[in-house]
Amino acid sequence: MNRNFILLLGALAIFLFSFKADSYIPNKATAEVEQIEGFYVFTDSRPIMPYDTLGRVEIGFLVVTEYCPTRNNLIQRARRKYKDGDGIFIHYSTKFLSLDYATVIKFK
């Protein structure tokens, strides 16, 4: 009886100590993302939370090449096409006469 109790107690201790608390520790790469017109905007970054990709929107004809007008144009197009989207990844093209685009995502 005493031996079974010790074996059971040992097995219980091993079972309890085998679980590790998983917690996220912020580091130098941790940041808060800006939300503009209902979309979380990710540029050169990615979210930690799981998400589904809804699709892609391309920029239309835009004379200026500055960040804010380009971002706002992509957000407006994403809002019209994907009403239930939560965020966008903005992709800027480095090639001449290539279109900038955004990937629209929905968090799970």
Side-chain angles (χ1 to χ4, degrees), residues 76-105:
Q76 289 171 359
R77 289 172 180 272
R79 177 61 58 209
R80 275 188 244 127
K81 191 170 181 180
Y82 303 101
K83 295 187 186 321
D84 60 338
D86 291 326
I88 61 171
F89 299 141
I90 297 179
H91 307 276
Y92 288 101
S93 176
T94 57
K95 296 180 182 176
F96 183 67
L97 292 178
S98 295
L99 292 178
D100 298 327
Y101 67 96
T103 304
V104 184
I105 63 168

Side-chain angles (χ1 to χ4, degrees), residues 49-92:
M49 295 182 62
Y51 61 88
D52 291 323
T53 301
L54 298 180
R56 172 179 162 157
V57 291
E58 294 180 349
I59 196 159
F61 180 72
L62 198 62
V63 177
V64 293
T65 58
E66 296 174 0
Y67 172 73
C68 286
T70 302
R71 178 200 64 203
N72 294 342
N73 184 299
L74 288 168
I75 289 172
Q76 289 171 359
R77 289 172 180 272
R79 177 61 58 209
R80 275 188 244 127
K81 191 170 181 180
Y82 303 101
K83 295 187 186 321
D84 60 338
D86 291 326
I88 61 171
F89 299 141
I90 297 179
H91 307 276
Y92 288 101

Side-chain angles (χ1 to χ4, degrees), residues 2 6 14 24 33 61 75 87 98:
N2 211 6
I6 292 173
I14 290 172
Y24 180 75
V33 179
F61 180 72
I75 289 172
S98 295

